Amino acid sequence: MSATAFKNAAKSRRRTHRERHQPHYRRKLGFLEKHKDYVARARDYHRKETQLRTLREKARNRNPDEFYYKMISSQLKDGKHFQPTSNQFTNEELKVLKTQDVSYTTLRRSQESKKIERLQSSLHLLIEHGGSPPNKHTIFVDSKQDMEEFDAARHFDTAPELLPRAYNRPRLKTLRSKAFVNPVDEHAIERAEQAKSTGYEELSQRLNRETKLARIMQEQEMQKHLMEKGTRSKRKGIDGSMTYKWKKQRKR
């Protein structure tokens, strides 16, 4: 057996020394510090001590006539020196950045629109934003009496329980026939209803996201136009939003 293997075998048989926890009658004194906690605290203390010693040495050896140009522009706030940042971009560069922001927002909005179209095509009902499925089925009758006596179940020749369904609504003849057998069990129907509700919830969230992206894109377009030259007047809309109108200029 080699020396390394012998050393590893000796480590495996070595006894594990466990440190005791804080006794019950001393719990009011707080957490009982273990050896690893002491090591971390001691290292942190010595690191800060070394840093303070280095700073004292730098202050002791400092040249009183030392000068550099950042002393003029730097400022002191809450006992800390900081360099005030100025706008390092020109007006043209800011326009390019705004254009890139608008392009990215347009890309994200087009992606959301495509996902919304795919969701709507996969679902049986198309719902409007924040509303219930619209019912646009209009039935015309000959007189007002026929309208008052109108029976939707008799008109569609189906059971009254199936009237709220806009799809897969069999007639009474099909329901009475023995050949009609429901091929889906209750668990499958429950899973289908759950998948449908999940799809409608996702569709509603994506519609909200698409509306927010459209509002953000409009705001970014407005900021980009405000950076351009020209006389403009600020107006307040009916809904409280601010609009701008530029003065017409003759182009050469």
Side-chain angles (χ1 to χ4, degrees), residues 10-232:
K11 285 183 180 179
S12 63
R13 297 190 185 92
R14 187 177 299 171
R15 181 180 178 183
T16 303
H17 295 276
R18 299 180 181 178
E19 299 185 54
R20 67 183 180 89
H21 59 82
Q22 183 74 282
H24 183 73
Y25 64 91
R26 288 177 57 88
R27 286 187 180 177
K28 61 182 180 180
L29 301 177
F31 178 73
L32 180 62
E33 188 182 50
K34 305 297 189 297
H35 179 71
K36 60 179 181 180
D37 303 323
Y38 161 73
V39 171
R41 182 170 58 85
R43 286 176 180 173
D44 181 65
Y45 172 78
H46 290 301
R47 180 180 57 82
K48 293 177 180 177
E49 190 178 32
T50 304
Q51 187 177 5
L52 288 173
R53 191 186 307 115
T54 305
L55 291 175
R56 291 192 189 98
E57 186 177 355
K58 285 184 179 181
R60 187 168 55 251
N61 299 330
R62 184 178 65 87
N63 183 8
D65 298 329
E66 182 181 0
F67 172 79
Y68 54 95
Y69 286 98
K70 279 193 176 180
M71 290 181 176
I72 302 175
S73 58
S74 63
Q75 299 179 10
L76 189 66
K77 184 177 181 181
D78 297 334
K80 295 183 180 180
H81 287 276
F82 73 97
Q83 190 72 19
T85 57
S86 59
N87 190 7
Q88 55 184 349
F89 299 106
T90 61
N91 196 18
E92 295 298 329
E93 291 173 343
L94 288 175
K95 284 183 182 179
V96 174
L97 292 176
K98 292 291 183 183
T99 306
Q100 292 176 354
D101 293 342
V102 173
S103 301
Y104 176 75
T105 309
T106 307
L107 174 65
R108 293 295 301 172
R109 187 186 178 190
S110 63
Q111 291 175 350
E112 287 294 331
S113 300
K114 291 179 181 178
K115 291 179 181 178
I116 288 171
E117 291 177 2
R118 285 198 296 268
L119 271 174
Q120 288 178 342
S121 62
S122 63
L123 296 174
H124 291 286
L125 300 177
L126 304 179
I127 61 173
E128 296 180 351
H129 178 58
S132 57
N135 187 6
K136 296 183 179 180
H137 196 160
T138 305
I139 300 173
F140 297 91
V141 293
D142 296 332
S143 62
K144 188 175 181 181
Q145 183 179 359
D146 294 340
M147 182 182 68
E148 294 175 354
E149 298 176 355
F150 179 76
D151 187 5
R154 185 175 60 184
H155 178 79
F156 290 109
D157 191 21
T158 185
E161 294 81 5
L162 301 178
L163 285 176
R165 302 173 65 175
Y167 64 95
N168 193 16
R169 188 169 53 196
R171 298 180 180 273
L172 291 175
K173 182 180 178 181
T174 308
L175 293 173
R176 293 194 189 100
S177 64
K178 297 181 180 179
F180 178 78
V181 180
N182 189 5
V184 185
D185 57 354
E186 296 182 358
H187 296 288
I189 294 176
E190 185 178 355
R191 287 195 300 268
E193 291 293 334
Q194 185 177 2
K196 187 176 68 173
S197 62
T198 305
Y200 284 138
E201 184 178 357
E202 183 182 357
L203 180 60
S204 176
Q205 292 176 358
R206 292 197 179 278
L207 285 170
N208 290 332
R209 193 177 304 147
E210 197 269 341
T211 305
K212 292 179 181 178
L213 286 173
R215 194 182 303 116
I216 292 172
M217 188 174 66
Q218 184 179 5
E219 182 67 25
Q220 289 175 347
E221 287 281 357
M222 180 62 67
Q223 291 178 3
K224 191 177 76 170
H225 290 314
L226 289 175
M227 295 177 64
E228 298 176 355
K229 296 180 181 180
T231 307
R232 59 182 178 269

